[in-house]
Amino acid sequence: MSDVWGILSSIAVAVFLTWLFTEPRIYPESVDYAAQACASNEGWAYIEEGHSESASVKCKNGAEFDYKWNQLGAKK
């Protein structure tokens, strides 16, 4: 019986680590926001969205804007 618990524990750990280390997808609304926020800052360099509500956009000239990705549109 202990073999079953070991296998189930290994699967649970693998699922948790996969969730923890994968990046969530970036939605079109986030790209639109980045383009608007960084229009006067030489364009956007990257968008960082984590597993929480908070996200940020970094522009090419170093400016950074924080936003809540779930407030950008109904598709989220």
Side-chain angles (χ1 to χ4, degrees), residues 2 7 15 19 26 32 34 36 38 42 46 49 52 55-56 60 68 70 74:
S2 64
I7 291 170
V15 168
W19 173 82
I26 295 178
D32 292 340
Q36 291 173 1
C38 294
E42 301 175 9
Y46 69 86
E49 291 185 358
S52 66
S56 64
K60 289 183 180 176
K68 298 208 181 279
N70 61 356

Side-chain angles (χ1 to χ4, degrees), residues 15-25 49-51:
V15 168
F16 174 73
L17 290 175
T18 300
W19 173 82
L20 185 63
F21 291 111
T22 55
E23 290 289 324
R25 69 178 82 173
E49 291 185 358
H51 293 288

Side-chain angles (χ1 to χ4, degrees), residues 54-71:
S54 300
S56 64
V57 173
K58 185 158 185 170
C59 302
K60 289 183 180 176
N61 70 349
E64 193 165 337
F65 299 97
D66 295 326
Y67 64 97
K68 298 208 181 279
W69 60 263
N70 61 356
Q71 296 177 351

